[in-house]
Amino acid sequence: MQSPSTCWPNRLATRPVSRRSPTPLPPTAAAWRAQRPHWRPNSRTRPSRRSSTSGTPTLGAELYGELEGAEPPFETAGYIHDEPVLVDAETLETLTDRYNVGVVTGRPAAEATIALDRVGLDIEDVHRFTMDNWEQGKPHPHALLTLADRFDSQSVVFVGDTLDDIETAVNADAEDDETTYEGLGVLTGGLTGDSGHEKFVDAGAAAVLQSINELPDYVR
């Protein structure tokens, strides 16, 4: 019997079943919407790429030059290595021992790798979706559906701190009759307190967590 599995945006938890035929996945969001008109796009515009100016404070001038192959627009140390780590080592150990783990994020691949390295989480490329290998972006369900298929799962929990994350899980659940998808909101980003909790619930969240470290107890 296979052990259960987990992933997240940066976050997701799944339970595998017998192998099924891969779900046909469209090449573009427009094609998907033509074939599957009931998934819910959001009203927020997703930029095709991060602007050079906005990327510099995050990466810092030196790292920006290495990753982008261009001169930074201004000098700065960057704060990507100073971002707070929101997950405990014990939580990661529990999740990776019990579940398959994958990542769905709107960050570029290089930035996602830095973030994963900082917390000590090793995710194979085949189980990562980033800005660089996922054309549609959240809340399009392509990435989540693909990960569920690659993990051979019948139950998926997708955990994130934005409404896009919840809507991604809701849209995936509407598309896949063989797998259940739950979106869990975490109050560690822009959404906090009672108002954040209410917005997550209104978006379709199955539960709202105060911290990602509560995830093992939820999926147990």
Side-chain angles (χ1 to χ4, degrees):
M1 178 178 178
Q2 292 176 294
S3 61
S5 50
T6 246
C7 335
W8 66 87
N10 300 40
R11 305 143 281 249
L12 139 107
T14 63
R15 287 183 172 78
V17 290
S18 58
R19 191 70 186 169
R20 64 179 188 279
S21 300
T23 304
L25 296 170
T28 66
W32 187 280
R33 293 175 69 178
Q35 298 169 27
R36 310 278 190 174
H38 57 277
W39 80 269
R40 301 189 308 176
N42 68 18
S43 59
R44 298 176 287 280
T45 300
R46 179 179 184 266
S48 58
R49 287 290 301 175
R50 178 191 57 207
S51 70
S52 60
T53 302
S54 65
T56 310
T58 302
L59 299 173
E62 182 177 353
L63 188 56
Y64 178 90
E66 293 177 7
L67 298 181
E68 300 291 343
E71 286 295 319
F74 54 85
E75 289 294 324
T76 180
Y79 54 77
I80 190 168
H81 294 287
D82 297 324
E83 291 180 331
V85 175
L86 303 177
V87 61
D88 294 340
E90 182 181 356
T91 297
L92 288 178
E93 182 179 1
T94 299
L95 293 173
T96 53
D97 283 349
R98 296 179 183 175
Y99 306 98
N100 299 316
V101 176
V103 168
V104 175
T105 179
R107 288 189 176 201
E111 287 187 24
T113 296
I114 292 171
L116 291 172
D117 287 347
R118 289 191 67 221
V119 299
L121 188 56
D122 184 19
I123 304 294
E124 296 180 8
D125 288 345
V126 71
H127 296 142
R128 292 190 201 185
F129 279 88
T130 70
M131 177 188 287
D132 297 325
N133 66 351
W134 178 21
E135 177 184 358
Q136 299 92 341
K138 294 178 285 188
H140 195 282
H142 170 93
L144 211 53
L145 293 168
T146 303
L147 282 176
D149 186 71
R150 290 174 181 175
F151 282 132
D152 198 14
S153 302
Q154 66 176 359
S155 177
V156 175
V157 176
F158 186 55
V159 188
D161 58 10
T162 72
L163 297 181
D164 278 355
D165 298 321
I166 305 305
E167 292 166 3
T168 301
V170 170
N171 293 334
D173 194 60
E175 296 304 324
D176 187 353
D177 293 334
E178 298 183 33
T179 304
T180 60
Y181 298 80
E182 293 181 81
L184 302 188
V186 185
L187 297 172
T188 53
L191 298 175
T192 58
D194 292 340
S195 63
H197 188 284
E198 183 178 353
K199 289 177 181 178
F200 274 131
V201 172
D202 288 345
V208 181
L209 310 179
Q210 293 292 328
S211 164
I212 188 66
N213 295 307
E214 297 174 8
L215 181 58
D217 288 336
Y218 179 86
V219 296
R220 181 174 298 167

